[in-house]
Amino acid sequence: MTPALGLVAALACLGLYYWLRVVRAPELVYRPSPLLDHVLARCPTLTEPYRPPLWAFNRHLQLALYAWRDARTPPLTFDRSEPLVLADGGTVSLEWLGLDDPTLTPDTPTVVILPTICGDGQSLRRTVRALRRRLGWRVVVCNRRGHGTLPLTTPRFSTLGATDDVREQVAAIRRRVPASPLYGLGISAGSGLLVRYLGEEGAAAAFTAAIAHCPGYDTTRAFHRIHRLYDRYLLPSVRRYFLERHAATLATTPGWDTMLASRTVGELHDRQHPFAGYGSTAEYHERTNPMRVADAVGIPLLILNAADDPVCTLANVEEHRGLFARVPDSILVLTARGSHCAFFEGPWRPRSWAHRLIADYFTAVQTARRED
């Protein structure tokens, strides 16, 4: 076989593999309901095949593309950055896009984003821009203690965040836009905080509907299942982001040296209870693990995962498939590809399929809400 024929054969095999094993519609796990019937009828992203780029369908390439696109995306100028001093003296913030848009009515919806483990509004600028463009709604990012450029004004933090802080942020959002329906979006670690808040609040939650984007489900296990390569990358990143940056505030807290000595993200997570205000690892997990309260979620909830996610792995999903039979108007969207939060689609200039899904789902729920 000549080199040219060998190349043609290799490309043909790649193309065949791509169409047979890569291009697939998402697997949907849910209990039928009138709302979900409405959503599925108006949300083609849920039923059509997801087509990752032919040259970047591998989970590691998807994440490399994700990092490259983030690095090349220009900084985002928010309409307003609003620091909030909490009841215990801690500081969080709200970053708004579209708040001052004169074309929006008081009842235009607002997307409320809870960021990733080391995320803030600026690191999520592609998501914020995309949802603002696709939906035309207001978007607000809820930055947690010590995130972004926020000072850590009390010796308290948690990689998962705190639902009491979310309540104060939601109250501040409500004061700004009292007539606006709120839609929640939690990304990676932020999805755990979102589901924990939803479970604690039940039907009284402030959100009309919510999406958990690449959650890890049971946080007593998920952090210990991270692919070794990414655990080695994440551990120093988390240590620098929370501990070293805020050493002046945290270094006198009991457990500081133990936290610094953590050899995995799972160890660091299990050892952070003194910094989160709890007396033991068991108490910390009991009060923060979203799966302790997930069955009490009382609003429509979509959970998006990829089977090839190396950070929030498929094992986490498989343990909790039964959740979607128990929680009304909940749906699992499980793609074969997409990696961790990447979900790029398109042949030459890839865009986020997840952004399209998020916008389609929120629009469908809002349409159903108006028709009721």
Short mmCIF file of all heavy atoms in Angstrom, two decimals, residues 307-368:
data_model
loop_
_atom_site.label_atom_id
_atom_site.label_comp_id
_atom_site.label_asym_id
_atom_site.label_seq_id
_atom_site.Cartn_x
_atom_site.Cartn_y
_atom_site.Cartn_z
N ALA A 307 -20.06 11.22 29.54
CA ALA A 307 -19.57 9.91 29.99
C ALA A 307 -18.05 9.84 30.01
O ALA A 307 -17.48 9.01 30.71
CB ALA A 307 -20.14 8.82 29.09
N ASP A 308 -17.38 10.71 29.24
CA ASP A 308 -15.92 10.68 29.19
C ASP A 308 -15.28 11.76 30.06
O ASP A 308 -14.10 12.06 29.91
CB ASP A 308 -15.42 10.81 27.74
CG ASP A 308 -15.71 12.17 27.12
OD1 ASP A 308 -16.55 12.92 27.69
OD2 ASP A 308 -15.11 12.50 26.09
N ASP A 309 -16.04 12.32 30.99
CA ASP A 309 -15.52 13.38 31.86
C ASP A 309 -14.42 12.81 32.77
O ASP A 309 -14.68 11.88 33.54
CB ASP A 309 -16.68 13.94 32.71
CG ASP A 309 -16.32 15.19 33.49
OD1 ASP A 309 -15.13 15.37 33.85
OD2 ASP A 309 -17.23 16.00 33.75
N PRO A 310 -13.20 13.37 32.72
CA PRO A 310 -12.13 12.85 33.57
C PRO A 310 -12.11 13.46 34.97
O PRO A 310 -11.34 13.01 35.82
CB PRO A 310 -10.87 13.24 32.81
CG PRO A 310 -11.23 14.51 32.13
CD PRO A 310 -12.69 14.40 31.79
N VAL A 311 -12.91 14.48 35.21
CA VAL A 311 -12.93 15.16 36.51
C VAL A 311 -14.13 14.70 37.33
O VAL A 311 -13.99 14.21 38.45
CB VAL A 311 -12.92 16.69 36.33
CG1 VAL A 311 -12.98 17.40 37.69
CG2 VAL A 311 -11.67 17.14 35.56
N CYS A 312 -15.32 14.87 36.79
CA CYS A 312 -16.54 14.35 37.43
C CYS A 312 -16.94 13.10 36.66
O CYS A 312 -17.66 13.17 35.66
CB CYS A 312 -17.63 15.41 37.42
SG CYS A 312 -17.25 16.84 38.45
N THR A 313 -16.49 11.96 37.11
CA THR A 313 -16.47 10.75 36.30
C THR A 313 -17.84 10.07 36.18
O THR A 313 -18.76 10.35 36.96
CB THR A 313 -15.48 9.73 36.88
OG1 THR A 313 -15.94 9.32 38.17
CG2 THR A 313 -14.09 10.35 37.02
N LEU A 314 -17.93 9.17 35.21
CA LEU A 314 -19.18 8.46 34.95
C LEU A 314 -19.65 7.65 36.15
O LEU A 314 -20.86 7.49 36.36
CB LEU A 314 -19.01 7.55 33.73
CG LEU A 314 -20.23 6.76 33.28
CD1 LEU A 314 -21.37 7.68 32.88
CD2 LEU A 314 -19.85 5.83 32.12
N ALA A 315 -18.73 7.17 36.97
CA ALA A 315 -19.13 6.40 38.15
C ALA A 315 -20.04 7.21 39.06
O ALA A 315 -20.97 6.67 39.68
CB ALA A 315 -17.89 5.95 38.93
N ASN A 316 -19.79 8.51 39.15
CA ASN A 316 -20.64 9.37 39.97
C ASN A 316 -22.07 9.40 39.44
O ASN A 316 -23.04 9.36 40.21
CB ASN A 316 -20.10 10.81 39.98
CG ASN A 316 -18.67 10.89 40.48
OD1 ASN A 316 -18.26 10.14 41.35
ND2 ASN A 316 -17.91 11.82 39.93
N VAL A 317 -22.20 9.46 38.13
CA VAL A 317 -23.53 9.51 37.49
C VAL A 317 -24.27 8.20 37.71
O VAL A 317 -25.45 8.18 38.10
CB VAL A 317 -23.38 9.79 35.98
CG1 VAL A 317 -24.76 9.91 35.34
CG2 VAL A 317 -22.56 11.05 35.74
N GLU A 318 -23.57 7.10 37.46
CA GLU A 318 -24.22 5.79 37.50
C GLU A 318 -24.80 5.49 38.88
O GLU A 318 -25.83 4.82 39.00
CB GLU A 318 -23.23 4.70 37.09
CG GLU A 318 -22.74 4.81 35.65
CD GLU A 318 -23.84 4.60 34.63
OE1 GLU A 318 -24.97 4.24 35.01
OE2 GLU A 318 -23.58 4.81 33.43
N GLU A 319 -24.16 5.98 39.93
CA GLU A 319 -24.65 5.72 41.29
C GLU A 319 -25.98 6.42 41.58
O GLU A 319 -26.67 6.05 42.52
CB GLU A 319 -23.61 6.19 42.31
CG GLU A 319 -22.39 5.30 42.39
CD GLU A 319 -21.33 5.84 43.34
OE1 GLU A 319 -21.45 7.02 43.77
OE2 GLU A 319 -20.39 5.10 43.64
N HIS A 320 -26.33 7.43 40.77
CA HIS A 320 -27.49 8.26 41.12
C HIS A 320 -28.53 8.36 40.01
O HIS A 320 -29.33 9.29 39.99
CB HIS A 320 -26.99 9.65 41.53
CG HIS A 320 -26.11 9.63 42.74
ND1 HIS A 320 -26.61 9.43 44.00
CD2 HIS A 320 -24.77 9.75 42.86
CE1 HIS A 320 -25.61 9.44 44.87
NE2 HIS A 320 -24.49 9.63 44.20
N ARG A 321 -28.56 7.38 39.12
CA ARG A 321 -29.58 7.39 38.07
C ARG A 321 -30.99 7.37 38.67
O ARG A 321 -31.92 7.94 38.09
CB ARG A 321 -29.40 6.19 37.15
CG ARG A 321 -28.30 6.35 36.13
CD ARG A 321 -28.14 5.10 35.29
NE ARG A 321 -27.20 5.29 34.19
CZ ARG A 321 -27.56 5.63 32.95
NH1 ARG A 321 -28.85 5.81 32.66
NH2 ARG A 321 -26.66 5.79 32.02
N GLY A 322 -31.17 6.70 39.79
CA GLY A 322 -32.49 6.61 40.39
C GLY A 322 -33.06 7.94 40.83
O GLY A 322 -34.28 8.08 41.02
N LEU A 323 -32.19 8.94 41.00
CA LEU A 323 -32.65 10.27 41.42
C LEU A 323 -33.71 10.82 40.49
O LEU A 323 -34.68 11.46 40.93
CB LEU A 323 -31.45 11.21 41.48
CG LEU A 323 -31.74 12.67 41.84
CD1 LEU A 323 -32.08 12.79 43.32
CD2 LEU A 323 -30.54 13.55 41.51
N PHE A 324 -33.56 10.55 39.20
CA PHE A 324 -34.42 11.19 38.20
C PHE A 324 -35.80 10.53 38.11
O PHE A 324 -36.71 11.09 37.51
CB PHE A 324 -33.70 11.19 36.85
CG PHE A 324 -32.37 11.87 36.93
CD1 PHE A 324 -31.21 11.15 37.18
CD2 PHE A 324 -32.29 13.25 36.85
CE1 PHE A 324 -29.99 11.78 37.30
CE2 PHE A 324 -31.06 13.90 36.98
CZ PHE A 324 -29.91 13.16 37.21
N ALA A 325 -35.95 9.37 38.71
CA ALA A 325 -37.27 8.77 38.84
C ALA A 325 -37.99 9.31 40.07
O ALA A 325 -39.23 9.26 40.15
CB ALA A 325 -37.16 7.25 38.91
N ARG A 326 -37.23 9.82 41.01
CA ARG A 326 -37.81 10.27 42.28
C ARG A 326 -38.12 11.76 42.31
O ARG A 326 -39.08 12.19 42.96
CB ARG A 326 -36.86 9.95 43.45
CG ARG A 326 -36.55 8.47 43.62
CD ARG A 326 -35.83 8.21 44.93
NE ARG A 326 -34.58 8.95 45.06
CZ ARG A 326 -33.39 8.49 44.67
NH1 ARG A 326 -33.30 7.30 44.10
NH2 ARG A 326 -32.30 9.21 44.86
N VAL A 327 -37.33 12.57 41.63
CA VAL A 327 -37.48 14.03 41.69
C VAL A 327 -38.30 14.51 40.50
O VAL A 327 -37.87 14.38 39.35
CB VAL A 327 -36.11 14.72 41.71
CG1 VAL A 327 -36.27 16.25 41.71
CG2 VAL A 327 -35.30 14.28 42.93
N PRO A 328 -39.50 15.04 40.72
CA PRO A 328 -40.35 15.47 39.62
C PRO A 328 -39.67 16.53 38.76
O PRO A 328 -38.94 17.40 39.25
CB PRO A 328 -41.59 16.05 40.34
CG PRO A 328 -41.57 15.44 41.70
CD PRO A 328 -40.13 15.26 42.05
N ASP A 329 -39.92 16.47 37.45
CA ASP A 329 -39.42 17.45 36.48
C ASP A 329 -37.90 17.55 36.46
O ASP A 329 -37.33 18.58 36.09
CB ASP A 329 -40.02 18.84 36.75
CG ASP A 329 -41.51 18.89 36.50
OD1 ASP A 329 -41.99 18.15 35.61
OD2 ASP A 329 -42.22 19.65 37.19
N SER A 330 -37.23 16.47 36.85
CA SER A 330 -35.77 16.43 36.73
C SER A 330 -35.40 15.56 35.54
O SER A 330 -36.11 14.62 35.20
CB SER A 330 -35.14 15.86 38.01
OG SER A 330 -35.48 14.51 38.19
N ILE A 331 -34.26 15.89 34.91
CA ILE A 331 -33.82 15.13 33.75
C ILE A 331 -32.30 15.09 33.69
O ILE A 331 -31.63 16.10 33.90
CB ILE A 331 -34.42 15.72 32.44
CG1 ILE A 331 -33.97 14.89 31.22
CG2 ILE A 331 -34.05 17.18 32.27
CD1 ILE A 331 -34.72 15.25 29.94
N LEU A 332 -31.76 13.89 33.47
CA LEU A 332 -30.34 13.72 33.24
C LEU A 332 -30.09 13.72 31.74
O LEU A 332 -30.75 12.99 30.99
CB LEU A 332 -29.86 12.39 33.83
CG LEU A 332 -28.45 11.93 33.42
CD1 LEU A 332 -27.38 12.88 33.93
CD2 LEU A 332 -28.19 10.50 33.90
N VAL A 333 -29.15 14.54 31.32
CA VAL A 333 -28.70 14.58 29.93
C VAL A 333 -27.26 14.07 29.92
O VAL A 333 -26.35 14.75 30.42
CB VAL A 333 -28.77 16.01 29.34
CG1 VAL A 333 -28.31 16.01 27.89
CG2 VAL A 333 -30.19 16.56 29.47
N LEU A 334 -27.06 12.88 29.39
CA LEU A 334 -25.74 12.23 29.43
C LEU A 334 -25.23 12.05 28.01
O LEU A 334 -25.79 11.28 27.23
CB LEU A 334 -25.84 10.88 30.14
CG LEU A 334 -24.54 10.08 30.27
CD1 LEU A 334 -23.51 10.83 31.10
CD2 LEU A 334 -24.82 8.70 30.89
N THR A 335 -24.17 12.76 27.66
CA THR A 335 -23.56 12.64 26.35
C THR A 335 -22.41 11.65 26.40
O THR A 335 -21.77 11.46 27.43
CB THR A 335 -23.03 13.99 25.85
OG1 THR A 335 -22.04 14.47 26.77
CG2 THR A 335 -24.16 15.01 25.74
N ALA A 336 -22.12 11.02 25.27
CA ALA A 336 -21.00 10.10 25.20
C ALA A 336 -19.67 10.84 25.25
O ALA A 336 -18.67 10.33 25.77
CB ALA A 336 -21.07 9.27 23.92
N ARG A 337 -19.64 12.05 24.70
CA ARG A 337 -18.43 12.87 24.64
C ARG A 337 -18.73 14.26 25.22
O ARG A 337 -19.86 14.58 25.53
CB ARG A 337 -17.96 13.01 23.19
CG ARG A 337 -17.78 11.70 22.45
CD ARG A 337 -16.50 11.02 22.81
NE ARG A 337 -16.40 9.70 22.18
CZ ARG A 337 -15.25 9.05 22.01
NH1 ARG A 337 -14.11 9.57 22.42
NH2 ARG A 337 -15.25 7.86 21.44
N GLY A 338 -17.68 15.05 25.35
CA GLY A 338 -17.85 16.41 25.87
C GLY A 338 -16.85 16.77 26.94
O GLY A 338 -16.67 17.93 27.26
N SER A 339 -16.26 15.75 27.59
CA SER A 339 -15.25 15.96 28.62
C SER A 339 -15.82 16.75 29.79
O SER A 339 -17.01 16.62 30.10
CB SER A 339 -14.00 16.63 28.04
OG SER A 339 -12.91 16.53 28.91
N HIS A 340 -15.03 17.56 30.46
CA HIS A 340 -15.49 18.29 31.64
C HIS A 340 -15.78 19.74 31.27
O HIS A 340 -14.86 20.54 31.06
CB HIS A 340 -14.45 18.25 32.75
CG HIS A 340 -14.94 18.86 34.03
ND1 HIS A 340 -16.00 18.33 34.76
CD2 HIS A 340 -14.56 19.98 34.70
CE1 HIS A 340 -16.23 19.07 35.82
NE2 HIS A 340 -15.37 20.09 35.80
N CYS A 341 -17.07 20.05 31.13
CA CYS A 341 -17.56 21.41 30.87
C CYS A 341 -17.21 21.95 29.48
O CYS A 341 -17.54 23.09 29.17
CB CYS A 341 -17.03 22.41 31.91
SG CYS A 341 -17.55 22.09 33.60
N ALA A 342 -16.58 21.14 28.63
CA ALA A 342 -16.14 21.65 27.32
C ALA A 342 -17.28 21.58 26.29
O ALA A 342 -17.78 22.61 25.83
CB ALA A 342 -14.93 20.86 26.84
N PHE A 343 -17.67 20.38 25.87
CA PHE A 343 -18.81 20.16 24.97
C PHE A 343 -18.73 21.00 23.69
O PHE A 343 -19.73 21.59 23.27
CB PHE A 343 -20.13 20.46 25.69
CG PHE A 343 -20.45 19.52 26.82
CD1 PHE A 343 -20.17 19.88 28.13
CD2 PHE A 343 -21.03 18.29 26.58
CE1 PHE A 343 -20.45 19.02 29.19
CE2 PHE A 343 -21.32 17.42 27.63
CZ PHE A 343 -21.02 17.78 28.93
N PHE A 344 -17.56 21.01 23.06
CA PHE A 344 -17.46 21.76 21.81
C PHE A 344 -18.12 20.99 20.68
O PHE A 344 -18.10 19.76 20.62
CB PHE A 344 -15.99 22.02 21.47
CG PHE A 344 -15.37 23.10 22.31
CD1 PHE A 344 -14.51 22.78 23.35
CD2 PHE A 344 -15.68 24.44 22.08
CE1 PHE A 344 -13.95 23.77 24.13
CE2 PHE A 344 -15.12 25.43 22.87
CZ PHE A 344 -14.26 25.10 23.89
N GLU A 345 -18.71 21.75 19.75
CA GLU A 345 -19.32 21.18 18.56
C GLU A 345 -18.92 22.04 17.36
O GLU A 345 -18.51 23.19 17.52
CB GLU A 345 -20.85 21.14 18.69
CG GLU A 345 -21.50 22.51 18.72
CD GLU A 345 -23.02 22.46 18.68
OE1 GLU A 345 -23.57 21.38 18.41
OE2 GLU A 345 -23.65 23.51 18.91
N GLY A 346 -19.07 21.47 16.17
CA GLY A 346 -18.79 22.22 14.95
C GLY A 346 -17.48 21.79 14.32
O GLY A 346 -16.54 21.41 15.01
N PRO A 347 -17.39 21.90 13.00
CA PRO A 347 -16.21 21.36 12.31
C PRO A 347 -14.95 22.20 12.42
O PRO A 347 -13.90 21.69 12.79
CB PRO A 347 -16.69 21.27 10.85
CG PRO A 347 -17.78 22.28 10.73
CD PRO A 347 -18.43 22.35 12.07
N TRP A 348 -15.03 23.49 12.15
CA TRP A 348 -13.80 24.28 12.05
C TRP A 348 -13.69 25.37 13.10
O TRP A 348 -12.59 25.67 13.57
CB TRP A 348 -13.70 24.90 10.64
CG TRP A 348 -13.84 23.87 9.57
CD1 TRP A 348 -14.82 23.77 8.63
CD2 TRP A 348 -12.98 22.74 9.35
NE1 TRP A 348 -14.63 22.68 7.84
CE2 TRP A 348 -13.51 22.02 8.26
CE3 TRP A 348 -11.83 22.27 9.97
CZ2 TRP A 348 -12.91 20.87 7.78
CZ3 TRP A 348 -11.23 21.12 9.50
CH2 TRP A 348 -11.76 20.43 8.42
N ARG A 349 -14.76 26.01 13.45
CA ARG A 349 -14.75 27.04 14.51
C ARG A 349 -15.67 26.57 15.63
O ARG A 349 -16.82 27.00 15.72
CB ARG A 349 -15.21 28.40 13.96
CG ARG A 349 -14.24 29.01 12.95
CD ARG A 349 -14.78 30.31 12.38
NE ARG A 349 -15.00 31.29 13.42
CZ ARG A 349 -14.05 32.12 13.88
NH1 ARG A 349 -12.82 32.03 13.40
NH2 ARG A 349 -14.32 33.01 14.82
N PRO A 350 -15.20 25.66 16.47
CA PRO A 350 -16.08 25.03 17.46
C PRO A 350 -16.69 26.02 18.43
O PRO A 350 -16.05 26.99 18.87
CB PRO A 350 -15.13 24.06 18.19
CG PRO A 350 -13.97 23.88 17.29
CD PRO A 350 -13.82 25.16 16.55
N ARG A 351 -17.95 25.76 18.76
CA ARG A 351 -18.66 26.52 19.78
C ARG A 351 -19.20 25.55 20.82
O ARG A 351 -19.23 24.34 20.60
CB ARG A 351 -19.80 27.33 19.16
CG ARG A 351 -19.32 28.42 18.22
CD ARG A 351 -20.42 29.39 17.91
NE ARG A 351 -19.94 30.51 17.13
CZ ARG A 351 -20.65 31.63 16.91
NH1 ARG A 351 -21.87 31.74 17.43
NH2 ARG A 351 -20.15 32.60 16.19
N SER A 352 -19.66 26.09 21.93
CA SER A 352 -20.11 25.24 23.02
C SER A 352 -21.53 24.73 22.77
O SER A 352 -22.48 25.51 22.73
CB SER A 352 -20.07 26.01 24.34
OG SER A 352 -20.68 25.26 25.37
N TRP A 353 -21.64 23.43 22.63
CA TRP A 353 -22.96 22.80 22.56
C TRP A 353 -23.70 22.99 23.87
O TRP A 353 -24.93 23.13 23.89
CB TRP A 353 -22.77 21.32 22.23
CG TRP A 353 -24.02 20.49 22.23
CD1 TRP A 353 -24.86 20.29 21.18
CD2 TRP A 353 -24.55 19.72 23.32
NE1 TRP A 353 -25.89 19.44 21.55
CE2 TRP A 353 -25.72 19.08 22.86
CE3 TRP A 353 -24.14 19.51 24.63
CZ2 TRP A 353 -26.49 18.25 23.66
CZ3 TRP A 353 -24.89 18.68 25.44
CH2 TRP A 353 -26.06 18.06 24.96
N ALA A 354 -22.98 22.99 24.99
CA ALA A 354 -23.61 23.15 26.30
C ALA A 354 -24.28 24.51 26.42
O ALA A 354 -25.38 24.62 26.99
CB ALA A 354 -22.59 22.97 27.42
N HIS A 355 -23.65 25.56 25.91
CA HIS A 355 -24.27 26.89 25.96
C HIS A 355 -25.59 26.87 25.19
O HIS A 355 -26.58 27.48 25.62
CB HIS A 355 -23.34 27.93 25.36
CG HIS A 355 -22.10 28.18 26.17
ND1 HIS A 355 -21.01 28.85 25.68
CD2 HIS A 355 -21.81 27.87 27.47
CE1 HIS A 355 -20.07 28.92 26.62
NE2 HIS A 355 -20.54 28.34 27.71
N ARG A 356 -25.60 26.20 24.05
CA ARG A 356 -26.83 26.11 23.25
C ARG A 356 -27.90 25.34 24.02
O ARG A 356 -29.07 25.75 24.04
CB ARG A 356 -26.51 25.43 21.91
CG ARG A 356 -27.68 25.35 20.95
CD ARG A 356 -27.19 25.21 19.52
NE ARG A 356 -26.50 23.95 19.27
CZ ARG A 356 -27.09 22.84 18.82
NH1 ARG A 356 -28.41 22.84 18.61
NH2 ARG A 356 -26.40 21.76 18.57
N LEU A 357 -27.52 24.24 24.66
CA LEU A 357 -28.47 23.46 25.44
C LEU A 357 -29.04 24.28 26.60
O LEU A 357 -30.25 24.27 26.85
CB LEU A 357 -27.80 22.21 25.98
CG LEU A 357 -28.59 21.41 27.02
CD1 LEU A 357 -29.86 20.85 26.43
CD2 LEU A 357 -27.73 20.30 27.62
N ILE A 358 -28.18 24.97 27.32
CA ILE A 358 -28.62 25.78 28.47
C ILE A 358 -29.65 26.81 28.02
O ILE A 358 -30.71 26.96 28.64
CB ILE A 358 -27.41 26.46 29.14
CG1 ILE A 358 -26.51 25.41 29.81
CG2 ILE A 358 -27.87 27.50 30.16
CD1 ILE A 358 -25.13 25.93 30.15
N ALA A 359 -29.33 27.52 26.94
CA ALA A 359 -30.25 28.54 26.44
C ALA A 359 -31.56 27.92 25.97
O ALA A 359 -32.65 28.45 26.24
CB ALA A 359 -29.59 29.33 25.32
N ASP A 360 -31.49 26.79 25.25
CA ASP A 360 -32.71 26.14 24.76
C ASP A 360 -33.59 25.67 25.92
O ASP A 360 -34.82 25.84 25.88
CB ASP A 360 -32.35 24.94 23.89
CG ASP A 360 -31.83 25.33 22.51
OD1 ASP A 360 -31.87 26.52 22.18
OD2 ASP A 360 -31.38 24.42 21.78
N TYR A 361 -32.98 25.07 26.93
CA TYR A 361 -33.76 24.55 28.06
C TYR A 361 -34.42 25.69 28.83
O TYR A 361 -35.63 25.63 29.13
CB TYR A 361 -32.85 23.74 28.97
CG TYR A 361 -33.53 23.28 30.25
CD1 TYR A 361 -34.44 22.23 30.24
CD2 TYR A 361 -33.29 23.91 31.47
CE1 TYR A 361 -35.07 21.80 31.40
CE2 TYR A 361 -33.91 23.50 32.64
CZ TYR A 361 -34.80 22.45 32.61
OH TYR A 361 -35.43 22.05 33.75
N PHE A 362 -33.67 26.72 29.16
CA PHE A 362 -34.26 27.84 29.91
C PHE A 362 -35.38 28.51 29.11
O PHE A 362 -36.42 28.88 29.67
CB PHE A 362 -33.19 28.86 30.28
CG PHE A 362 -32.31 28.44 31.44
CD1 PHE A 362 -31.07 29.04 31.63
CD2 PHE A 362 -32.71 27.48 32.34
CE1 PHE A 362 -30.26 28.68 32.70
CE2 PHE A 362 -31.91 27.10 33.41
CZ PHE A 362 -30.68 27.71 33.59
N THR A 363 -35.18 28.66 27.81
CA THR A 363 -36.22 29.26 26.96
C THR A 363 -37.47 28.40 26.95
O THR A 363 -38.60 28.91 27.04
CB THR A 363 -35.69 29.44 25.52
OG1 THR A 363 -34.56 30.30 25.53
CG2 THR A 363 -36.77 30.04 24.63
N ALA A 364 -37.29 27.08 26.86
CA ALA A 364 -38.46 26.18 26.84
C ALA A 364 -39.22 26.23 28.14
O ALA A 364 -40.46 26.25 28.15
CB ALA A 364 -38.00 24.75 26.53
N VAL A 365 -38.51 26.25 29.27
CA VAL A 365 -39.19 26.33 30.57
C VAL A 365 -39.90 27.67 30.72
O VAL A 365 -41.05 27.72 31.20
CB VAL A 365 -38.19 26.13 31.72
CG1 VAL A 365 -38.87 26.35 33.06
CG2 VAL A 365 -37.60 24.73 31.67
N GLN A 366 -39.26 28.74 30.29
CA GLN A 366 -39.90 30.06 30.38
C GLN A 366 -41.15 30.13 29.52
O GLN A 366 -42.16 30.71 29.93
CB GLN A 366 -38.90 31.15 29.99
CG GLN A 366 -39.44 32.57 30.05
CD GLN A 366 -39.79 33.06 31.45
OE1 GLN A 366 -39.55 32.36 32.44
NE2 GLN A 366 -40.36 34.23 31.54
N THR A 367 -41.09 29.51 28.33
CA THR A 367 -42.26 29.46 27.47
C THR A 367 -43.40 28.69 28.14
O THR A 367 -44.57 29.13 28.12
CB THR A 367 -41.91 28.82 26.12
OG1 THR A 367 -40.86 29.54 25.50
CG2 THR A 367 -43.12 28.80 25.19
N ALA A 368 -43.07 27.56 28.73
CA ALA A 368 -44.09 26.77 29.43
C ALA A 368 -44.68 27.55 30.59
O ALA A 368 -45.89 27.49 30.85
CB ALA A 368 -43.48 25.47 29.94
#
